[in-house]
Every structure is written in C-alpha cells, then in structure tokens.
Amino acid sequence: APHQYQLRSTVAVEVDRITSTGSSTSLSAQQISRRDAVSLASLATFGIITTGSTTDQVANASGGATAGGVYLLSAKQRYNARVTAAVKGYLALSASLDADNPSLEETKAYFTVDAVGSWKDVTAAGYLLANAFRRSSTTPPDSLPSVKKWKAFAAEQENLQKALKKKDVKKVKESYALSQPLLNAYLELVELPPTAEI
C-alpha cells in the first residue's frame, strides 16, 4: 500500500541518517545512540520493521552502498562537494610551491586549518565517499579499489606533511608532484572529474 511504502522509505532514510555518521556499514549497539534507538523504535510501532521483506530493506539501507542507487546518490551528494572543495584547495598550492621563491605558508595552512576544503575535512569525506561505492555489505571497505586509491593518496599526504614539518621545500614539492597521479586515480574511481577539469 502507498502508506506502507512511505513508512518503509522513512525507515530507510532514518537508518541512513544513523549510519552515515561513520565509515562503518552495519548497525551495532555501539553505533545506535539512545536517541537513534528511540527513533527506530517509534517507527517499529507501525509494524514496519517486523516483516522479513522490510528487515531486508533496513539491512540494505544500513549497509551503505548495499542499497545501491539510493544510498550512493545520498553519499555522493553529502561528500562530493567537500571532496571537490578540498581538491581545489590542494591544487591551488601549486602557485606558492612553484613560485620563484617557494613558500610553505599556504601549504601549512591547508593542512592545519579546520574548515570545509581543508585536509582535515577531506580526510573523513574522502574516505566515506570511497566507501560509498561498496556494492555488497559483506565486502570489507579496505578491499574496495576506491578506498585503496584514497589510502594511497592519503599516505603520500603524510609524507608531504613530514617534509613540511622539517620545512624541506624540495621534499614537499617532490611529494606534491607524486601525489597528483594518485589523486587522479582516486577521483576517477569516485566518479569525479580529473584535476585538470576541477
């Protein structure tokens, strides 16, 4: 019935809200807060999550990318803008690094500020977007090609930051250059434009 379908959709949205706060893709006692448990319990009073078919729907919604198009679209809308903003900020560092008198101040700011478009923000958003491309709830996130590409890029960022702390301009520039193809490989797998088009 239309009313039952609407309630089932509400359950899926509610579960997505609960699980989207972290990279985990399954419901657990640790993940569901008191408020979230009450919220799900109130929905259950309608008899929505007691049937086998609806339980499967809830499991799919909680499984992130297992739900396919709905969750994937939701995750992309949630994280695409943040990842794109961070990529733009990262690419903008080339101006100061490639100058006749290279400066590390802009690069330092990128990694230390806590705002949308900074490294601190994309550290979470980049991983979560990669994880959203999981097609099965039984697939370990770390086995996903998109997650592997993200981790490879993130690892090079760690090398860059180490050089940054030592104020080693040469190594910072080398690490920055090495990270470019790694970033593009990640962007391709999360269906975002390459750096040349951002």
Side-chain angles (χ1 to χ4, degrees), residues 111-182:
F111 283 100
T112 56
V113 300
D114 189 4
V116 174
S118 69
W119 175 247
K120 287 186 177 181
D121 180 58
V122 79
T123 297
Y127 174 83
L128 291 172
L129 180 58
N131 189 44
F133 285 79
R134 190 154 57 99
R135 294 291 186 263
S136 170
S137 61
T138 60
T139 303
D142 287 350
S143 69
L144 291 174
S146 54
V147 171
K148 289 180 179 180
K149 296 300 182 183
W150 167 255
K151 288 193 170 185
F153 173 67
E156 193 57 49
Q157 298 312 292
E158 292 182 5
N159 293 334
L160 192 156
Q161 291 181 76
K162 289 178 182 178
L164 187 62
K165 288 181 179 180
K166 297 178 181 180
K167 298 181 180 181
D168 190 328
V169 176
K170 181 180 179 181
K171 287 188 177 181
V172 167
K173 293 178 67 174
E174 288 178 352
S175 185
Y176 184 77
L178 289 173
S179 71
Q180 299 298 313
L182 298 175

Side-chain angles (χ1 to χ4, degrees), residues 40-128:
L40 283 176
S42 65
L43 291 172
T45 61
F46 291 99
I48 302 304
I49 56 177
T50 58
T51 64
S53 61
T54 307
T55 300
D56 290 341
Q57 281 187 296
V58 174
N60 283 343
S62 68
T66 310
V70 174
Y71 183 86
L72 180 56
L73 178 61
S74 175
K76 285 176 68 67
Q77 291 174 336
R78 187 179 301 118
Y79 305 121
N80 272 359
R82 288 166 59 186
V83 171
T84 300
V87 171
K88 287 181 178 179
Y90 187 67
L91 296 177
L93 299 178
S94 62
S96 58
L97 293 177
D98 294 336
D100 292 336
N101 294 308
S103 171
L104 297 180
E105 292 305 312
E106 291 82 357
T107 304
K108 181 179 179 180
Y110 176 79
F111 283 100
T112 56
V113 300
D114 189 4
V116 174
S118 69
W119 175 247
K120 287 186 177 181
D121 180 58
V122 79
T123 297
Y127 174 83
L128 291 172

